[in-house]
Every structure is written in C-alpha cells, then in structure tokens.
Amino acid sequence: MPRLFSVALPPWLTHALRAQRGPVPWNAVLRGALAAGPLLLTAVLAGRESVGVMAALGAMLAGINDRPGSRRTAVHRIGVPGLAGAAGLVVGTYAGEGLGAVPLTLILTALGLLAGAVSAVGPVSSGAGTQLLVAAAIGAGMPLPEPGWQRALFFLAGCAWLIVLRLALPTPGALAHDFRFDGERVAVADVYDAIAELLAAAGGEQAGARRAALTAALDHAQDALAGPRLRRYASSSAERRLRAQYAAALPLAEAATALAWAGDALPARTAEGPRRLAVAVRTGEPCGPLPAPARSVPGLRALDDALLHAAETFDRGGKQTGGKQTGSEQAGSRQTGGRNTDGKKSRSDKADDRHNAALHSDAGTNPLDRGARQTAHKGLRLRPLRVKALLRTVTGPGGREYGFRVALCYGASAAVAQALHHVHWYWLPATAVFLVKPDLGPLVSRVLNRAAGTVLGALVFAGFAAVLPRPEGLVALVAISGALIPVATRHFAAQTAVVTVLVLALVMVGGEPEASWSRIGETLLACAIVLIVGHLPAPGQRGGNVRARLDAATDAAHAYLTHVLSGADDRAARWALRREAYRKLAEARAAIDRAAAELPTLARHTEGTGEVAATLERLVDTTTACAVHLDDTGRLTPRHTERLATLLDELVEQRERAGLADPPADLLSA
C-alpha cells in the first residue's frame, strides 16, 4: 500500500534514536565480566567491601573506555583517564573532608573549568577530564572509611586490572599469529579493504562515502600502530612487517582517491589486488598474484606502481622457512609462462623483475620506495605535539567554550545537591559531567537518553534488589553489568541503564540503602540544570569548537596543497600532510554533525559550516589528484587548475557566509 504521508523527525530527535551497529565484541564482554565483579567478590570475601567498591568503580570507568583497537592504544586510552580519575579522588576526598559547602563548590567549579578546557584536545583527554570530575564528586560525597590516597590506589588497581586483561587475553582467532599485534593487523587489513571498496565505488554515488570510510580506516590503523611504546622504533619483525604493510597502503590510497576524483567507473578487477592484500595481512600468508590494472591514465599507472611496491613489501615480509614459497614463487607456479591468463604480467611477476633489477641498482632512488621506508621507520607524525600547541588548543575558542559550560554545569549541580542536603549528593554533579560532554552527542539527545536510561536502569535494579540475595546477588549483578557495558556503549541510553544498575549495586554492597528512586530524581534535576546552562548566552561566539576544528582543517589543507604544488619529491612528508588534512577534516565533520543536531537555538550558530567542510574535502581530494598527476607528467592539466581555483573561490565565499575568518592569503594565491 502506498504511503500517503511521512513524518520527518527533527535532527535532535533522530540523533537520540540512532544506535551504532556491528558484531558483538565478545572479547570485550569477557573482559567486562572478569573485571568489576571478581574484584568486588574478592573484597567482600575479605570483609573490605568499601575497597571493592573503589576497585570496581575504577574497572567500570575503564570498561567504558575499552574500545576496539590495538593493545598499546588501549593502554593509553584506559590508563590516562584512570590516572586522572585517581587524582580526582584525592582532590575530592580531601576537599570534601576539610572544606565547607561554598569553598568545596568553588573547588569543584575550578576543576570543571580545567577539565572542560583540556577535553578539547582529543578523545583521550576528554575521557580523562570526565573521570577527573566524576571521581572528584564521588570522593567528596561518598562516605567511605579509607583516606583519599588509599581510595586512589584501589581505584587505580581496578583500572590496572582491566588493562592486564586487555593485554593478556587474545582476541578470537589471534592465537594463529602473534596475538600481541592482532589489533594492528586487523586495522591494517581494514585499510586495504577500504581501498578496494573505494575503487569499486569509483564513478558511482557511493564514492564519497567510501572515501570517508577509507579516511576512518587509515586514522584507526595509524593510531593502532602509533600507540605508546618503550622503544622509539619497532622492536620485532612482526611489528616491522605491519608498519611496512601500512606504509605500502598509503600510495594505494592516494591512487584510489585520485581515481575516485576523476569520476570514471573502473573494471571490477581493479579492486581485486587490494582485496588480496587485505587477506594476506589477516592470514599472514603471501599475497599471491595481483591483477595488473591497465596503465591508461595517470591514476591507474600510480595504482599499478603502488601494487608493484606492495607486492615487493609483502614478499619481503612473507618469506618463510621450511620450504614455504614466497608470494612471487607461488604466483609463478600458478601462471603460464609467468603471466595471468589474460596475457598480462601479475604484480608478483613484476615484483620479481624489479627485485632482481634492484640487486644491480640503488633502489633508494625511487621516491615511492624511499617514502615508504621512511614512513614505516618513523611513522606518519611530522612532529610531536608540543606543549605550546596543547596550550593553544586548551585556551583556544573550543577549550574556553567547553570549559565554561562544564564549569557552570558541574558547579551549579554541586551547589544544588549540597543545598538539598542529600546523602547521595555526588550523583547530581557526576551525572551533569556525562550530560555536558559534547562528544557523546548533541545536548538534547544526551539529556533524553540519560533520563530514559536512568529510569530504565533504576526500575530494573529495584526489581532485582527485591529478590536477589545479598551480597552475592549484587556481586553477580555487577559482573553481568560489566559484561554488558561493551555492548551498551553503542547507545547512550543503553549505556546509562547498564551503568545505573552497576552503580546502584555497588552503593548497596558498600552499606548504603537502596537508592533507585532518588537516582531518578537527581538525574532529572541534572538534566534540567544542563539544559538551562547549555542554552544560556555565553561570552564570545558560540560554536567555538566547530570553528576551531574547521580552522585547523583549513590550515592542514593549506599545508598539503602548498607541499604538492611546490613540486617537492618527499613522499613521506606528502603522505603525512595528506593524512593530517583528512584527519582534521574528519574531526571537523564530526563536530559539525553533532552541532547540526542541536535544537535550532544552538544549531543556528554553526549554520554554513557543513558547506565549508564539504568544500575543504573536495579541495583535499583535488590536491591528491594533482599530486598523482604531477608524479606522472610533471605538470597539471587545465581541469586540475580550474578546479583548484573554483574551490578556493567557493571556500572564501562559504567561510564569509558562515562567519569564519578568511583563509590564509597564501592558500588563495596557490
């Protein structure tokens, strides 16, 4: 039956109903089940329930930050917020014991200003700021017998226990290889899959979405390989191989982006090579023969050269002992006369020819090989993040605006909670912290999901608390809730419901009365405070975070375009600049999408920024196409130059309409 009418829901409501999808992360579920519950059980058996509550809280908050990725990245993502949470416990405990309501509120407000401003640096800093404020409120308000330094130690112990589980437990299927690098291996393989998808989508409507997916895959792999390390460079052959395979993907991604920019559909076999390389990364086996694309245009010639380089890289990393064949040897054994059935040489055959020629020449003179080696050795960071740059981010428009909002919400919630003289007053400011975090979604979406999740979680816990034996039933409830957190993080309301159940169980194990109904009232009050404060007029221009990220993306695009047009032959620097430009654009796009889903009173402050981001994306795509064409012919076609001029003119007009500052003058004259 035809639909007579359809209702278009406003963006702020559709965002609240949106949930992430994907397979269940069973390894994270197992870690969650083995984290808070067993720690609490051990403390209960030892007669130290309050110690178990602190350790379980540390494990719970660490579980919220336990996301997919490499082990080294997980240590950073979980450990830094854990240290911040321990510091918050110390400050909150001693301030709560020695200060009255007014000075305590002022201290918490100052902490909110600091943590909010620091949160503008990035996701890990945002998690650290959140745990600092949540732990400070708990330390100031939760009545426990241990002094502040002991609470911090037990909190850190819970966080460290989850890190140990993350490092020790392999992911499914990882035992077939070196399980230390299973996260890195999956991330690199996903890059090759994303390249194949972009090549397959070239000339179609999905090309833009596939290019964005490739950017996300490259960002994820870059972070996975660049996690914290004891040594400066890779110390094992497995890690060196993965870094070389990632570096080999960069020229492939560059060629694929240029081909997608050209807008012409490609033969299906063009995407087959990257798909086989993805399988080789996942299995650790040689890549075998790679189909050779026709070398008819600069983009296809660049893709062909990149596939040849990848075949060499995989062959060097795929040599085995015990009589196993390399990729090139296997390719030759399955070919007729060293060629594919269509009469063209495979990539592995060409790799053999090139490898033999390299024995009699200096292979380092090839810019692609030289750039890949430099990238694999040093990584993609042009320079480490300096203290001056961090301070500029913290004190910039985004940091000031976010810090101001967090300080107002956190301080007002603490003041109201203490004025009400409630025994569990810490719940109100702790709830406000999660509500005011912009990286969890638009403001109204966060408020709706938090309210719904708290009501659901409190009702579920009230039902269980009426029938479960104590304390063993509550300990089991904590373990089950810990296992559900990795799945519940896909939607803020679900995460809130699970965390509410877990926290209410911990409160009862710690000796306090059941508090389901008071939690509902305090959460609704926190929602009202954050809604009011979030819509108050603020000093300066609203949308500071969006504008700051757009300015950073513009600067990165400018640096990339300048390098390409300069004719420099440093591929490693070019790829690093290209990665930085796309990463900054992705961060800006995410901030813009969140701002666009706010209520109209807030969304209007960032109107027009989406068009600026789209133009910047097209500019970076065009710059990539220019780089590939310059490599091939040494000069640009009128199509490239006209497209650059048009995009730069559009960028000026759109930034003016959006109320942004003019782009760099040398960008316009490029």
Side-chain angles (χ1 to χ4, degrees):
M1 186 176 72
R3 299 175 62 182
L4 299 180
F5 63 91
S6 61
V7 178
L9 298 177
W12 57 267
L13 184 56
T14 56
H15 191 282
L17 302 175
R18 191 183 307 155
Q20 299 176 2
R21 298 181 180 180
V24 176
W26 292 111
N27 51 333
V29 170
L30 177 61
R31 291 194 296 272
L34 296 176
L39 290 175
L40 184 61
L41 177 61
T42 302
V44 169
L45 294 177
R48 299 289 303 275
E49 289 84 357
S50 59
V51 169
V53 168
M54 276 293 102
L57 276 174
M60 179 202 75
L61 291 173
I64 294 175
N65 294 317
D66 185 14
R67 301 300 176 89
S70 67
R71 284 174 169 77
R72 275 201 305 266
T73 306
V75 172
H76 185 242
R77 187 187 301 119
I78 297 172
V80 172
L83 290 172
L89 272 175
V90 172
V91 173
T93 300
Y94 290 117
E97 293 173 353
L99 298 176
V102 174
L104 176 59
T105 300
L106 294 177
I107 290 292
L108 294 180
T109 302
L111 274 181
L113 181 63
L114 173 65
V118 170
S119 297
V121 173
V124 175
S125 299
S126 179
T130 300
Q131 287 203 28
L132 173 70
L133 297 181
V134 170
I138 292 174
M142 182 178 283
L144 293 175
E146 288 77 21
W149 66 270
Q150 287 188 13
R151 297 187 191 185
L153 285 180
F154 294 129
F155 181 90
L156 277 179
C159 177
W161 173 240
L162 186 66
I163 292 177
V164 169
L165 293 175
R166 182 68 181 89
L167 295 175
L169 296 179
T171 55
L175 291 177
H177 310 287
D178 190 339
F179 84 95
R180 295 174 300 165
F181 304 109
D182 56 325
E184 289 93 331
R185 186 169 53 251
V186 171
V188 174
D190 288 344
V191 170
Y192 283 99
D193 278 333
I195 293 170
E197 294 298 327
L198 177 57
L199 290 170
E205 296 180 356
Q206 294 298 316
R210 296 302 182 188
R211 204 275 304 147
L214 174 58
T215 293
L218 285 164
D219 288 344
H220 181 60
Q222 181 179 343
D223 293 340
L225 292 170
R229 60 177 68 249
L230 296 177
R231 298 183 181 181
R232 184 177 180 185
Y233 300 116
S235 57
S236 69
S237 59
E239 186 177 1
R240 286 193 294 271
R241 181 165 57 251
L242 280 170
R243 289 171 71 91
Q245 290 170 342
Y246 175 75
L250 297 177
L252 280 171
E254 190 175 56
T257 302
L259 288 168
W261 177 87
D264 298 325
L266 302 172
R269 70 193 305 272
T270 307
E272 186 61 29
R275 287 199 178 97
R276 295 186 187 180
L277 293 171
V279 173
V281 175
R282 288 193 174 92
T283 62
E285 297 295 328
C287 60
L290 304 179
R295 298 175 61 89
S296 55
V297 295
L300 287 174
R301 288 192 286 272
L303 181 68
D304 190 34
D305 291 339
L307 283 171
L308 176 57
H309 170 73
E312 287 182 324
T313 301
F314 277 65
D315 273 357
R316 286 194 296 266
K319 292 183 183 296
Q320 306 285 341
T321 58
K324 289 188 178 181
Q325 294 173 305
T326 67
S328 296
E329 290 165 347
Q330 288 189 352
S333 67
R334 290 197 295 264
Q335 311 292 329
T336 301
R339 293 180 178 272
N340 286 315
T341 55
D342 59 1
K344 297 180 180 178
K345 275 193 174 185
S346 71
R347 295 277 56 76
S348 295
D349 296 328
K350 290 186 178 181
D352 281 343
D353 298 339
R354 186 169 176 176
H355 178 69
N356 292 332
L359 296 177
H360 307 287
S361 64
D362 181 12
T365 59
N366 185 287
L368 193 153
D369 293 336
R370 185 170 62 251
R373 281 201 305 273
Q374 291 174 357
T375 300
H377 183 59
K378 298 180 180 179
L380 274 170
R381 301 291 184 186
L382 286 176
R383 52 190 178 276
L385 196 57
R386 303 293 184 185
V387 174
K388 185 181 294 186
L390 289 174
L391 290 176
R392 190 162 51 247
T393 302
V394 170
T395 59
R400 292 197 304 269
E401 181 182 0
Y402 187 27
F404 176 76
R405 296 291 172 184
V406 172
L408 277 182
C409 292
Y410 191 58
S413 299
V416 171
Q418 292 178 89
L420 294 176
H421 301 290
H422 197 284
V423 66
H424 299 127
W425 68 266
Y426 57 86
W427 183 266
L428 193 59
T431 300
V433 172
F434 286 103
L435 286 172
V436 79
K437 275 179 64 67
D439 47 354
L440 292 177
L443 176 59
V444 176
S445 174
R446 297 195 302 271
V447 167
L448 291 176
N449 285 319
R450 184 75 184 187
T454 300
V455 171
L456 177 61
L459 292 177
V460 169
F461 177 79
F464 279 117
V467 298
L468 288 177
R470 302 175 188 176
E472 55 270 19
L474 297 176
V475 173
L477 199 58
V478 168
I480 294 172
S481 299
L484 291 176
I485 284 178
V487 181
T489 52
R490 299 177 181 184
H491 194 275
F492 191 37
Q495 176 182 311
T496 299
V498 172
V499 170
T500 299
V501 172
L502 195 154
V503 171
L504 288 173
L506 289 178
V507 168
M508 289 194 69
V509 172
E512 297 187 45
E514 197 270 330
S516 296
W517 307 115
S518 64
R519 287 294 184 268
I520 294 176
E522 290 160 354
T523 297
L524 295 179
L525 181 57
C527 291
I529 291 173
V530 173
L531 273 179
I532 293 172
V533 173
H535 290 82
L536 286 177
Q541 194 174 24
R542 294 297 295 263
N545 183 50
V546 171
R547 297 171 191 280
R549 295 196 179 279
L550 262 182
D551 288 339
T554 302
D555 292 341
H558 165 227
Y560 178 43
L561 177 61
T562 301
H563 179 87
V564 169
L565 296 185
S566 70
D569 206 18
D570 187 348
R571 298 292 180 89
R574 189 173 87 192
W575 296 336
L577 290 168
R578 176 177 177 271
R579 290 272 58 255
E580 185 72 7
Y582 277 121
R583 179 184 285 272
K584 294 299 184 184
L585 273 169
E587 293 173 354
R589 175 61 75 180
I592 290 168
D593 290 343
R594 285 193 299 266
E598 297 282 7
L599 288 177
T601 54
L602 296 182
R604 64 184 177 84
H605 294 287
T606 56
E607 288 180 354
T609 54
E611 289 77 7
V612 176
T615 300
L616 280 172
E617 288 169 350
R618 293 193 296 271
L619 178 62
V620 176
D621 288 344
T622 305
T623 305
T624 302
C626 290
V628 171
H629 200 87
L630 284 171
D631 288 342
D632 187 72
T633 66
R635 61 182 183 276
L636 296 179
T637 66
R639 180 188 179 191
H640 291 94
T641 55
E642 291 172 4
R643 186 61 176 160
L644 284 176
T646 301
L647 289 172
L648 291 173
D649 289 341
E650 290 179 2
L651 183 62
V652 173
E653 295 175 1
Q654 290 168 352
R655 288 181 66 91
E656 183 178 357
R657 285 199 298 267
L660 300 170
D662 292 335
D666 48 348
L667 173 62
L668 302 180
S669 61

